[in-house]
Amino acid sequence: MVPGRDAHPPLPRSLAPLPGEGLPGFVLRLAHHLDLTPTQVVRRTGLAFEDRGQARLRHLFMLEASIRAAFARSTRLTEDEADQLTLRPWSSHYPPLADVLGQPGEALRPRKVTTDWMLLSSSRYCPECLAGDGSRIQQLHGGPWKLSWRLPVIFACLEHNRMLVDTCPRCRRPAQAGSWTTSPQLVPLPGLGHLHPTRCRNRVSAGPQGTVCGHPLDDLAAIPATQLAPDLADLQRRLQKMLEPGHYPSTAISRFSDLRVAVALITAARQSPDPAGQSSGAISQLMDEYRRGVHGSWPGQTQPCWGALPTASTASAEVLSLADRLVRLPRTAFRAEIHNLTGRAPRYDASAWSQTWDILKTRCSPLFRHDVEQCCQGIFVPTHISHTGPLVIPVRERGYLPEHIPQRPPGSWLTVLAENGAPPQHLRKPIQFRRVVAVQLVQAAAGCSVDAAAELLGIPQSWNRSGPGALMRQSLHPSQNSAHPLLSPEIAEAFEALTQHIAREPVNYYQRRQNLAFWHLRHSDWDTITQQLGRMFVQGPQTGADELLRECASAYVWAAVTGSEWQLSPSFRAPLSAFNRRVGPGTPALRILHHIHHATDRRLRAVLDDRVRALIGSADRQPGDYSP
């Protein structure tokens, strides 16, 4: 238990946290400011008990409510400021932190601490940041030990355009490693009170009384800057953006997870040379150059598992750069590269794969996961491969890719099916039939299961097995209750004709859904539309009825551009909708959407169709980063 409120009264003086500062650095600066040892500071602020001078490393991840309250009270900070000194705010965006603290939506609590994709026993640093900004307080106590330096995906300082440093130039040990023997602590060697916060706190000899290095890590003359290459600066900028609060959490989790699996595949494949003696892919050729020493030693040689990132910042940058190039390749090139890598990798059950396959199944983006699973059949056992179930047409190269299939196939596709012999009985229930058509077309190109195809399309899992349009309710085999099953020569011939139609001018609907995952008509856009029509639809600004109409108009435009179901529009869901509307049969939203679709108000429909045409260009842009 943490002692009561009176046990941690406010300190006589405190400090304001510096931008980006982490809890260990704040404790060091505060101790220096008060002329105390870090041990005394952690005891007086509730981070450690009186009989134990060490603050546990778990406080770096989060401060539990009682400890956070005591720490904030004693340091004269708000509880939010205290929370910002920990890694917790990134737990909804960064998968290794989610592993420790829980998934988004779960109650946060420290679990088993992992070192995979985390720097726990040391920290990287930027000497120029530690040197401070010239202000009085930073001249006295140094600049911030930044929290982000504990993440191995942060390998550079964009402010100073240089690579981060990971070792002390004098003792050559990882920075902030502390003792040779003790387990990692929140503050290394907390009993030392005479060291400036920017000096190396490593022991250079074993034993509790071993000599402390004490080298100034802000000595710019002793640590020449390694300039940041433009491509690495771009990569670092995109990775940092994924950690920002404005970046949607689920997207950040899946993108970081894609990189983790890509790192594992690349690192595993470097274990042996290409069996043919010559690498056939760009990524594989770069790997061979590393192996031959063209670019120095291979990053991650000493890592305990293939998915881990190296401690050295330059090594992390190189392996992340390779993984980034891999995941951003065009689809065909990506699949070819994965084939090259998996052809050289050990089987799935090698212990060094560690969590790779669990991450692939549970965290990665659907399209990435699908392609890797399909390409990894050579190293997976059969139980890892999804079964397709009954198919209308066989799986083969079709001239289109799964991402070229929309959730809701357009009416022109149904016309192609009808003109090529599809029985009219199927077209009488277009909602159910469209969904089956979309799933079957994905399966024909990808050879995946119904569930996997629905996930690629962004169709909720609940739609697969329940409800009037459920995918699993559609009859695929002849039965007493189905005179016109979907599996028939006529429908197969019609589907073959449709695949040829799609292949002539494929549209990347998956990319559109990703790029517009949070698109909606802003209130300013809606005001422009209502002014363009020369009237307001209801009296007063942003009333409930007007807000519903704006959300429905957003859904119409979004669905038309992305080829998606109205009900799945982001405008109906939090955080874009305060109402989190249900859009089903008989609901006001669905009635309004039917009115828009059937052009009951032709002027409104015309204005929204203009918006559709204008939006298509931006929706088809090539993704330049990981953001939606």
Side-chain angles (χ1 to χ4, degrees):
M1 291 182 58
V2 175
R5 180 183 183 90
D6 295 338
H8 303 103
L11 295 168
R13 301 188 308 278
S14 188
L15 290 172
L18 299 177
E21 187 171 34
L23 185 59
F26 179 79
V27 169
L28 287 174
R29 288 196 313 115
L30 184 58
H32 192 257
H33 180 56
L34 297 173
D35 196 23
L36 299 173
T37 66
T39 292
Q40 292 171 311
V41 169
V42 297
R43 285 176 174 172
R44 294 189 184 187
T45 58
L47 296 180
F49 296 107
E50 288 296 325
D51 59 348
R52 183 174 59 192
Q54 299 177 0
R56 291 186 294 180
L57 183 64
R58 65 187 290 169
H59 294 328
L60 178 64
F61 290 88
M62 70 173 289
L63 297 175
E64 286 113 320
S66 58
I67 296 176
R68 183 175 65 247
F71 180 79
R73 184 170 57 253
S74 60
T75 56
R76 304 174 185 268
L77 302 179
T78 66
E79 289 198 30
D80 183 63
E81 287 174 324
D83 184 53
Q84 292 298 316
L85 293 170
T86 73
L87 295 165
R88 188 215 57 79
W90 289 328
S91 63
S92 60
H93 290 67
Y94 194 62
L97 286 174
D99 292 338
V100 175
L101 299 177
Q103 301 295 320
E106 293 181 355
L108 293 178
R109 60 182 180 86
R111 292 169 169 80
K112 181 180 179 181
V113 174
T114 175
T115 58
D116 190 15
W117 279 52
M118 293 291 303
L119 297 174
L120 302 181
S121 59
S122 64
S123 174
R124 295 171 183 166
Y125 64 97
C126 169
E128 294 181 67
C129 288
L130 290 181
D133 60 3
S135 63
R136 171 69 175 166
I137 198 70
Q138 294 194 35
Q139 285 178 352
L140 290 173
H141 311 301
W145 279 95
K146 293 189 176 180
L147 197 60
S148 61
W149 296 342
R150 295 285 186 151
L151 306 182
V153 294
I154 305 300
F155 52 80
C157 175
L158 295 177
E159 180 182 354
H160 297 110
N161 194 40
R162 62 179 294 162
M163 296 292 293
L164 295 179
V165 184
D166 41 78
T167 59
C168 168
R170 175 184 289 174
C171 68
R172 304 296 180 184
R173 293 189 62 206
Q176 300 289 63
S179 172
W180 288 88
T181 57
T182 59
S183 58
Q185 304 168 30
L186 181 68
V187 177
L189 305 184
L192 294 178
H194 62 280
L195 282 183
H196 189 274
T198 62
R199 287 185 174 266
C200 177
R201 303 180 70 83
N202 292 340
R203 291 202 186 277
V204 295
S205 58
Q209 303 303 319
T211 305
V212 176
C213 175
H215 183 77
L217 300 179
D218 59 350
D219 184 357
L220 303 183
I223 311 174
T226 302
Q227 293 299 311
L228 191 58
D231 59 326
L232 292 180
D234 175 68
L235 172 60
Q236 185 66 95
R237 193 171 292 109
R238 288 185 280 114
L239 291 172
Q240 287 186 189
K241 184 178 179 182
M242 289 163 59
L243 294 169
E244 294 176 357
H247 197 99
Y248 204 67
S250 61
T251 304
I253 289 287
S254 64
R255 298 306 188 192
F256 275 123
S257 299
D258 292 350
L259 285 174
R260 291 177 81 183
V261 172
V263 166
L265 290 169
I266 290 170
T267 310
R270 64 95 185 176
Q271 300 299 309
S272 59
D274 187 89
Q278 180 68 34
S279 299
S280 56
I283 303 296
S284 299
Q285 288 174 1
L286 281 172
M287 289 164 49
D288 285 343
E289 290 178 1
Y290 278 114
R291 188 180 297 108
R292 294 194 301 269
V294 175
H295 295 285
S297 62
W298 170 257
Q301 286 178 325
T302 61
Q303 296 306 306
C305 64
W306 296 325
L309 284 174
T311 301
S313 55
T314 53
S316 278
E318 295 294 354
V319 73
L320 280 168
S321 179
L322 285 176
D324 173 63
R325 295 185 207 182
L326 177 62
V327 300
R328 298 176 72 206
L329 284 173
R331 181 77 185 289
T332 302
F334 173 78
R335 290 175 66 91
E337 208 61 69
I338 293 295
H339 275 297
N340 289 334
L341 296 175
T342 56
R344 303 163 63 172
R347 284 178 56 83
Y348 81 99
D349 51 359
S351 60
W353 284 117
S354 187
Q355 305 176 64
T356 299
W357 307 128
D358 288 335
I359 293 170
L360 181 67
K361 288 180 179 180
T362 60
R363 294 279 184 79
C364 289
S365 56
L367 198 58
F368 177 91
R369 177 168 69 251
H370 169 262
D371 281 349
V372 172
E373 285 182 344
Q374 292 298 306
C375 294
C376 283
Q377 296 189 30
I379 61 173
F380 279 152
V381 293
T383 55
H384 283 71
I385 305 301
S386 301
H387 297 286
T388 61
L391 299 177
V392 176
I393 51 177
V395 179
R396 62 177 176 83
E397 290 291 334
R398 297 251 167 219
Y400 69 86
L401 298 172
E403 57 262 44
H404 295 142
I405 305 303
Q407 289 176 359
R408 180 186 175 93
S412 60
W413 290 18
L414 298 187
T415 300
V416 171
L417 290 173
E419 291 175 347
N420 286 275
Q425 290 82 359
H426 293 300
L427 304 177
R428 291 174 185 168
K429 294 183 178 180
I431 295 178
Q432 297 94 321
F433 188 58
R434 282 177 197 256
R435 292 176 186 170
V436 173
V437 167
V439 167
Q440 285 284 328
L441 289 171
V442 169
Q443 290 185 278
C448 58
S449 67
V450 170
D451 288 342
E455 185 179 17
L456 283 171
L457 291 166
I459 295 175
Q461 189 174 15
S462 60
W463 289 16
N464 293 1
R465 303 178 185 279
S466 63
L471 301 174
M472 300 305 293
R473 289 193 177 190
Q474 303 309 301
S475 175
L476 296 179
H477 293 290
S479 69
Q480 295 179 349
N481 299 324
S482 178
H484 301 281
L486 196 59
L487 291 182
S488 66
E490 295 82 9
I491 198 71
E493 183 177 343
F495 265 74
E496 292 286 0
L498 178 56
T499 62
Q500 297 173 23
H501 173 80
I502 297 169
R504 292 190 191 104
E505 294 184 12
V507 173
N508 195 330
Y509 289 102
Y510 179 86
Q511 180 177 303
R512 288 185 180 183
R513 289 195 302 273
Q514 293 296 104
N515 290 342
L516 301 179
F518 312 106
W519 183 89
H520 62 292
L521 287 169
R522 294 169 296 184
H523 288 100
S524 58
D525 298 327
W526 186 239
D527 290 342
T528 300
I529 289 175
T530 56
Q531 292 170 10
Q532 184 177 349
L533 294 174
R535 60 182 174 82
M536 290 295 291
F537 292 98
V538 295
Q539 295 297 319
Q542 297 184 25
T543 62
D546 184 56
E547 186 69 359
L548 174 59
L549 186 55
R550 183 187 66 82
E551 291 178 6
C552 290
S554 298
Y556 171 82
V557 174
W558 176 84
V561 173
T562 62
S564 302
E565 303 271 359
W566 294 331
Q567 297 97 312
L568 302 180
S569 169
S571 65
F572 291 137
R573 304 193 309 272
L576 298 183
S577 172
F579 300 96
N580 205 21
R581 302 196 189 272
R582 189 179 76 84
V583 186
T587 60
L590 196 59
R591 286 197 297 270
I592 291 174
L593 279 162
H594 279 296
H595 283 305
I596 295 175
H597 179 70
H598 294 293
T600 303
D601 188 324
R602 294 184 179 181
R603 296 174 64 208
L604 175 60
R605 169 66 183 270
V607 170
L608 296 181
D609 285 344
D610 288 341
R611 292 274 174 164
V612 170
R613 287 185 285 271
L615 188 57
I616 283 175
S618 60
D620 285 337
R621 71 186 187 279
Q622 289 297 318
D625 55 33
Y626 293 115
S627 59

